[in-house]
Amino acid sequence: MRAWGTLVVGALLAALVVTLVLRNGQEVSVDLLVMTWPTKLWGALVASAIIGAGATASFLLWPMARLNLRARRHQKRIAELEQEVHGLRTLPIANDTVNSSSAKKV
């Protein structure tokens, strides 16, 4: 079912791009501070969408990477603590006769 949803979204996106190309064929010039770049309007729109998506992905990538590193560090610490708990559970219980005999005398 998920594959069908992906296929439908992909088809709608492809139809949107085709419509964008067919309706926006006018020639425009894009001023890039140091030079002027003549292009079709749809090319400028698609380029700006790609640049915006790339910038957004780069801004989101750093916090995600930091959270992954923190999660990995916590998983290692949890494994160490679980190993320590397991080691404490397997220790034999010492028979403390001194404390039990002093408790009976009182």
Side-chain angles (χ1 to χ4, degrees):
M1 189 56 116
R2 186 174 176 172
W4 283 104
T6 304
L7 185 64
V8 168
V9 169
L12 289 174
L13 187 62
L16 178 69
V17 170
V18 168
T19 304
L20 180 76
V21 169
L22 293 177
R23 290 190 178 187
N24 296 303
Q26 300 90 357
E27 190 76 24
V28 294
S29 60
V30 179
D31 187 15
L32 299 174
L33 295 178
V34 291
M35 64 182 266
T36 301
W37 179 38
T39 185
K40 300 277 187 184
L41 181 59
W42 66 266
L45 291 171
V46 169
S48 65
I50 290 172
I51 291 170
T56 302
S58 67
F59 283 123
L60 293 178
L61 188 64
W62 174 249
M64 296 269 298
R66 194 178 65 205
L67 288 174
N68 274 342
L69 290 173
R70 183 181 293 172
R72 187 177 301 149
R73 192 175 330 128
H74 288 313
Q75 288 294 334
K76 286 181 182 179
R77 182 67 177 144
I78 288 170
E80 291 171 1
L81 291 173
E82 285 176 345
Q83 187 176 7
E84 183 179 346
V85 167
H86 179 68
L88 291 173
R89 284 183 182 159
T90 58
L91 283 177
I93 298 176
N95 224 354
D96 195 3
T97 58
V98 177
N99 286 340
S100 61
S101 64
S102 64
K104 289 180 183 178
K105 290 181 182 178
V106 175

